[in-house]
Amino acid sequence: MSLQNASIKLTHFIIGGFDTVKRPVAVGVVMLITYLLAVFASLVNIIFIVSDKQLHKPMYLLICNLAVVDVFYTSTATPTMIGVLLAGVNTISYVDCLIQMYVFQVGGTMERFSLTIMAFDRLIAIIYPLQYHSYLTNTRILIFTYILWIVACSFALFTLVTLAPLPHCYSRLRYTFCDFAAVMRTTCVDPEKYFNQVAIISFFLSFFTFTFICLSYCGILFFVKILSNNDKKKMGSTLVSHLICVSCLYCPQFVIVILTRFGVVLTLEERQGLLIGIILGPSLVNPFVYCLRTKKIKIRIFKIFRKVNTLRPELFHGMHF
């Protein structure tokens, strides 16, 4: 009997990626703390930038967009994994699984796009410092960001349309959440052809965005020689912030590609550990990097803490213990 004839009608998937974890509660607590810190830090960035009109500038709008993407990206899969580890909820409905897979693909694509457009922003600021604000206005940045979201949704739609019509023979997911590879392996068809199609798209996105970022840095390094020492220091601070974020996103991906290329077979746990790092790492690092290294946001944070410290004596003034 062929696998197609043995297909089943699925209503739920069973998440089996954490079955071999020895200390699920400890891992779950670490993931929960990391997730809450990442979301909190991103929300702080978003609130500061949206509420302060002085920060309504192209660079800060791009930082705000990156924070939105971080919350969006990490919130697709992390709550599901935490639920499995801490609450033992290891099932997810078929429809919710496909939605999670689609949203996760959109978030991953937008992470690359966001860092790419931020590199472009810094390139224009270096090459055309006097015309920068006329070239990159707030309106143009918002329109460009909106277009990138549409493109990301379109790329992710390809995986959803490819997978949705296929019959399923298994209900157990080998991985820790509903990504494309996990769901595809539950189908009744040979997945290699579909993996190759998605791999080509993923390679194109990663290669294009990373190459563009590298070329932007080459252009920046070429033109930075003409800047004054003060401008170099100012520009260097924002470039270091961006470089840290780029490294957190691309390094784990390149580790997987390089190890696979050299014939190193990663275990399921090792591959999933790197994948979790790709999800949580950038979402945690990005907002803290821009909070601590972006001068205006840092000043805003310090002002709030000063107000809190000033109000403390007033709160207790007149109280008798």
Side-chain angles (χ1 to χ4, degrees), residues 274-300:
L274 285 170
L275 184 59
I276 292 172
I278 292 172
I279 298 169
L280 283 174
S283 301
L284 177 65
V285 172
N286 293 349
F288 281 103
V289 164
Y290 280 108
C291 269
L292 297 175
R293 296 195 65 87
T294 304
K295 187 177 179 181
K296 288 188 178 180
I297 296 178
K298 190 162 57 175
I299 290 172
R300 183 80 190 274

mmCIF file of all heavy atoms in Angstrom, residues 274-300:
data_model
loop_
_atom_site.group_PDB
_atom_site.id
_atom_site.type_symbol
_atom_site.label_atom_id
_atom_site.label_comp_id
_atom_site.label_asym_id
_atom_site.label_seq_id
_atom_site.Cartn_x
_atom_site.Cartn_y
_atom_site.Cartn_z
ATOM 1 N N LEU A 274 20.903 24.991 17.956
ATOM 2 C CA LEU A 274 21.297 26.113 17.103
ATOM 3 C C LEU A 274 20.076 26.878 16.604
ATOM 4 O O LEU A 274 20.094 28.113 16.516
ATOM 5 C CB LEU A 274 22.117 25.599 15.912
ATOM 6 C CG LEU A 274 23.562 25.189 16.222
ATOM 7 C CD1 LEU A 274 24.177 24.484 15.023
ATOM 8 C CD2 LEU A 274 24.402 26.407 16.597
ATOM 9 N N LEU A 275 19.002 26.144 16.297
ATOM 10 C CA LEU A 275 17.782 26.797 15.819
ATOM 11 C C LEU A 275 17.167 27.665 16.905
ATOM 12 O O LEU A 275 16.726 28.790 16.637
ATOM 13 C CB LEU A 275 16.776 25.737 15.350
ATOM 14 C CG LEU A 275 15.476 26.255 14.724
ATOM 15 C CD1 LEU A 275 15.775 27.112 13.507
ATOM 16 C CD2 LEU A 275 14.561 25.094 14.334
ATOM 17 N N ILE A 276 17.153 27.161 18.136
ATOM 18 C CA ILE A 276 16.643 27.962 19.260
ATOM 19 C C ILE A 276 17.514 29.200 19.456
ATOM 20 O O ILE A 276 17.015 30.293 19.754
ATOM 21 C CB ILE A 276 16.586 27.106 20.542
ATOM 22 C CG1 ILE A 276 15.518 26.025 20.410
ATOM 23 C CG2 ILE A 276 16.295 27.985 21.764
ATOM 24 C CD1 ILE A 276 15.518 25.006 21.526
ATOM 25 N N GLY A 277 18.836 29.043 19.274
ATOM 26 C CA GLY A 277 19.741 30.186 19.359
ATOM 27 C C GLY A 277 19.447 31.222 18.301
ATOM 28 O O GLY A 277 19.517 32.436 18.557
ATOM 29 N N ILE A 278 19.106 30.776 17.083
ATOM 30 C CA ILE A 278 18.765 31.689 15.997
ATOM 31 C C ILE A 278 17.493 32.472 16.326
ATOM 32 O O ILE A 278 17.354 33.651 15.982
ATOM 33 C CB ILE A 278 18.590 30.912 14.674
ATOM 34 C CG1 ILE A 278 19.938 30.349 14.212
ATOM 35 C CG2 ILE A 278 17.998 31.799 13.584
ATOM 36 C CD1 ILE A 278 19.827 29.411 13.016
ATOM 37 N N ILE A 279 16.555 31.817 17.037
ATOM 38 C CA ILE A 279 15.287 32.470 17.369
ATOM 39 C C ILE A 279 15.442 33.446 18.532
ATOM 40 O O ILE A 279 15.019 34.608 18.456
ATOM 41 C CB ILE A 279 14.214 31.410 17.720
ATOM 42 C CG1 ILE A 279 13.938 30.507 16.517
ATOM 43 C CG2 ILE A 279 12.920 32.081 18.178
ATOM 44 C CD1 ILE A 279 13.101 29.295 16.846
ATOM 45 N N LEU A 280 16.064 32.981 19.617
ATOM 46 C CA LEU A 280 16.126 33.783 20.838
ATOM 47 C C LEU A 280 17.316 34.744 20.874
ATOM 48 O O LEU A 280 17.214 35.831 21.450
ATOM 49 C CB LEU A 280 16.184 32.865 22.063
ATOM 50 C CG LEU A 280 14.865 32.222 22.495
ATOM 51 C CD1 LEU A 280 15.097 31.229 23.623
ATOM 52 C CD2 LEU A 280 13.855 33.275 22.921
ATOM 53 N N GLY A 281 18.444 34.334 20.264
ATOM 54 C CA GLY A 281 19.661 35.142 20.334
ATOM 55 C C GLY A 281 19.485 36.562 19.816
ATOM 56 O O GLY A 281 19.653 37.534 20.581
ATOM 57 N N PRO A 282 19.142 36.746 18.545
ATOM 58 C CA PRO A 282 18.987 38.114 18.015
ATOM 59 C C PRO A 282 17.899 38.907 18.732
ATOM 60 O O PRO A 282 18.054 40.103 18.983
ATOM 61 C CB PRO A 282 18.609 37.886 16.544
ATOM 62 C CG PRO A 282 19.123 36.529 16.232
ATOM 63 C CD PRO A 282 18.987 35.735 17.483
ATOM 64 N N SER A 283 16.793 38.233 19.074
ATOM 65 C CA SER A 283 15.677 38.933 19.724
ATOM 66 C C SER A 283 16.053 39.448 21.099
ATOM 67 O O SER A 283 15.480 40.435 21.577
ATOM 68 C CB SER A 283 14.461 37.991 19.836
ATOM 69 O OG SER A 283 14.052 37.556 18.558
ATOM 70 N N LEU A 284 17.010 38.778 21.771
ATOM 71 C CA LEU A 284 17.475 39.242 23.072
ATOM 72 C C LEU A 284 18.562 40.298 22.933
ATOM 73 O O LEU A 284 18.555 41.313 23.633
ATOM 74 C CB LEU A 284 18.005 38.054 23.892
ATOM 75 C CG LEU A 284 18.602 38.394 25.265
ATOM 76 C CD1 LEU A 284 17.529 38.957 26.191
ATOM 77 C CD2 LEU A 284 19.263 37.171 25.892
ATOM 78 N N VAL A 285 19.490 40.086 22.016
ATOM 79 C CA VAL A 285 20.653 40.975 21.883
ATOM 80 C C VAL A 285 20.276 42.303 21.239
ATOM 81 O O VAL A 285 20.706 43.372 21.708
ATOM 82 C CB VAL A 285 21.766 40.277 21.068
ATOM 83 C CG1 VAL A 285 22.895 41.252 20.754
ATOM 84 C CG2 VAL A 285 22.305 39.070 21.830
ATOM 85 N N ASN A 286 19.476 42.267 20.176
ATOM 86 C CA ASN A 286 19.176 43.485 19.408
ATOM 87 C C ASN A 286 18.676 44.649 20.254
ATOM 88 O O ASN A 286 19.237 45.756 20.197
ATOM 89 C CB ASN A 286 18.166 43.177 18.300
ATOM 90 C CG ASN A 286 18.727 42.275 17.226
ATOM 91 O OD1 ASN A 286 19.930 42.029 17.188
ATOM 92 N ND2 ASN A 286 17.866 41.765 16.368
ATOM 93 N N PRO A 287 17.605 44.477 21.049
ATOM 94 C CA PRO A 287 17.099 45.645 21.804
ATOM 95 C C PRO A 287 18.077 46.154 22.853
ATOM 96 O O PRO A 287 18.171 47.363 23.065
ATOM 97 C CB PRO A 287 15.819 45.105 22.459
ATOM 98 C CG PRO A 287 15.967 43.621 22.480
ATOM 99 C CD PRO A 287 16.761 43.282 21.263
ATOM 100 N N PHE A 288 18.812 45.247 23.509
ATOM 101 C CA PHE A 288 19.773 45.693 24.513
ATOM 102 C C PHE A 288 20.935 46.444 23.866
ATOM 103 O O PHE A 288 21.434 47.431 24.418
ATOM 104 C CB PHE A 288 20.297 44.506 25.325
ATOM 105 C CG PHE A 288 19.350 44.052 26.390
ATOM 106 C CD1 PHE A 288 18.586 42.916 26.219
ATOM 107 C CD2 PHE A 288 19.208 44.773 27.563
ATOM 108 C CE1 PHE A 288 17.703 42.502 27.195
ATOM 109 C CE2 PHE A 288 18.334 44.364 28.557
ATOM 110 C CZ PHE A 288 17.573 43.222 28.370
ATOM 111 N N VAL A 289 21.358 45.974 22.701
ATOM 112 C CA VAL A 289 22.444 46.654 21.988
ATOM 113 C C VAL A 289 22.041 48.078 21.652
ATOM 114 O O VAL A 289 22.791 49.031 21.900
ATOM 115 C CB VAL A 289 22.823 45.880 20.707
ATOM 116 C CG1 VAL A 289 23.651 46.757 19.771
ATOM 117 C CG2 VAL A 289 23.602 44.623 21.054
ATOM 118 N N TYR A 290 20.834 48.255 21.119
ATOM 119 C CA TYR A 290 20.421 49.594 20.705
ATOM 120 C C TYR A 290 20.004 50.464 21.887
ATOM 121 O O TYR A 290 20.099 51.685 21.824
ATOM 122 C CB TYR A 290 19.303 49.501 19.672
ATOM 123 C CG TYR A 290 19.852 49.198 18.305
ATOM 124 C CD1 TYR A 290 19.684 47.945 17.727
ATOM 125 C CD2 TYR A 290 20.577 50.148 17.603
ATOM 126 C CE1 TYR A 290 20.223 47.656 16.470
ATOM 127 C CE2 TYR A 290 21.114 49.882 16.359
ATOM 128 C CZ TYR A 290 20.932 48.632 15.801
ATOM 129 O OH TYR A 290 21.470 48.350 14.575
ATOM 130 N N CYS A 291 19.561 49.842 22.988
ATOM 131 C CA CYS A 291 19.277 50.627 24.201
ATOM 132 C C CYS A 291 20.568 51.184 24.792
ATOM 133 O O CYS A 291 20.632 52.337 25.206
ATOM 134 C CB CYS A 291 18.590 49.738 25.247
ATOM 135 S SG CYS A 291 16.795 49.764 25.148
ATOM 136 N N LEU A 292 21.606 50.348 24.837
ATOM 137 C CA LEU A 292 22.837 50.724 25.521
ATOM 138 C C LEU A 292 23.807 51.502 24.638
ATOM 139 O O LEU A 292 24.636 52.254 25.131
ATOM 140 C CB LEU A 292 23.535 49.465 26.060
ATOM 141 C CG LEU A 292 22.748 48.686 27.125
ATOM 142 C CD1 LEU A 292 23.484 47.407 27.481
ATOM 143 C CD2 LEU A 292 22.521 49.527 28.365
ATOM 144 N N ARG A 293 23.716 51.314 23.317
ATOM 145 C CA ARG A 293 24.703 51.927 22.436
ATOM 146 C C ARG A 293 24.153 53.119 21.650
ATOM 147 O O ARG A 293 24.915 53.828 21.005
ATOM 148 C CB ARG A 293 25.254 50.887 21.446
ATOM 149 C CG ARG A 293 26.016 49.755 22.129
ATOM 150 C CD ARG A 293 26.822 48.981 21.108
ATOM 151 N NE ARG A 293 27.863 49.814 20.523
ATOM 152 C CZ ARG A 293 29.081 49.965 21.036
ATOM 153 N NH1 ARG A 293 29.407 49.350 22.150
ATOM 154 N NH2 ARG A 293 29.975 50.716 20.434
ATOM 155 N N THR A 294 22.829 53.320 21.657
ATOM 156 C CA THR A 294 22.255 54.473 20.975
ATOM 157 C C THR A 294 22.074 55.593 21.993
ATOM 158 O O THR A 294 21.319 55.453 22.958
ATOM 159 C CB THR A 294 20.904 54.109 20.326
ATOM 160 O OG1 THR A 294 21.109 53.003 19.445
ATOM 161 C CG2 THR A 294 20.359 55.280 19.534
ATOM 162 N N LYS A 295 22.772 56.700 21.777
ATOM 163 C CA LYS A 295 22.898 57.749 22.782
ATOM 164 C C LYS A 295 21.558 58.321 23.217
ATOM 165 O O LYS A 295 21.279 58.448 24.418
ATOM 166 C CB LYS A 295 23.789 58.870 22.232
ATOM 167 C CG LYS A 295 24.124 59.935 23.265
ATOM 168 C CD LYS A 295 25.069 60.965 22.678
ATOM 169 C CE LYS A 295 25.379 62.054 23.701
ATOM 170 N NZ LYS A 295 26.285 63.081 23.140
ATOM 171 N N LYS A 296 20.678 58.649 22.273
ATOM 172 C CA LYS A 296 19.425 59.312 22.624
ATOM 173 C C LYS A 296 18.499 58.388 23.411
ATOM 174 O O LYS A 296 17.797 58.830 24.327
ATOM 175 C CB LYS A 296 18.727 59.815 21.351
ATOM 176 C CG LYS A 296 19.428 61.015 20.729
ATOM 177 C CD LYS A 296 18.613 61.607 19.607
ATOM 178 C CE LYS A 296 19.309 62.842 19.028
ATOM 179 N NZ LYS A 296 18.548 63.449 17.922
ATOM 180 N N ILE A 297 18.474 57.094 23.053
ATOM 181 C CA ILE A 297 17.644 56.144 23.799
ATOM 182 C C ILE A 297 18.210 55.956 25.203
ATOM 183 O O ILE A 297 17.470 55.884 26.188
ATOM 184 C CB ILE A 297 17.554 54.799 23.049
ATOM 185 C CG1 ILE A 297 16.837 54.989 21.707
ATOM 186 C CG2 ILE A 297 16.824 53.755 23.890
ATOM 187 C CD1 ILE A 297 16.746 53.725 20.871
ATOM 188 N N LYS A 298 19.544 55.887 25.298
ATOM 189 C CA LYS A 298 20.198 55.714 26.592
ATOM 190 C C LYS A 298 19.916 56.915 27.499
ATOM 191 O O LYS A 298 19.635 56.755 28.693
ATOM 192 C CB LYS A 298 21.707 55.527 26.384
ATOM 193 C CG LYS A 298 22.449 55.113 27.621
ATOM 194 C CD LYS A 298 23.818 54.528 27.278
ATOM 195 C CE LYS A 298 24.672 55.487 26.485
ATOM 196 N NZ LYS A 298 26.037 54.960 26.268
ATOM 197 N N ILE A 299 19.976 58.114 26.936
ATOM 198 C CA ILE A 299 19.689 59.322 27.719
ATOM 199 C C ILE A 299 18.246 59.292 28.223
ATOM 200 O O ILE A 299 17.964 59.654 29.367
ATOM 201 C CB ILE A 299 19.946 60.582 26.866
ATOM 202 C CG1 ILE A 299 21.449 60.768 26.616
ATOM 203 C CG2 ILE A 299 19.365 61.826 27.526
ATOM 204 C CD1 ILE A 299 21.790 61.860 25.633
ATOM 205 N N ARG A 300 17.335 58.847 27.360
ATOM 206 C CA ARG A 300 15.910 58.767 27.755
ATOM 207 C C ARG A 300 15.724 57.808 28.925
ATOM 208 O O ARG A 300 14.955 58.083 29.850
ATOM 209 C CB ARG A 300 15.109 58.302 26.543
ATOM 210 C CG ARG A 300 13.625 58.253 26.786
ATOM 211 C CD ARG A 300 12.994 59.632 26.677
ATOM 212 N NE ARG A 300 11.621 59.573 27.140
ATOM 213 C CZ ARG A 300 10.596 59.227 26.368
ATOM 214 N NH1 ARG A 300 10.800 58.947 25.098
ATOM 215 N NH2 ARG A 300 9.375 59.198 26.850
#
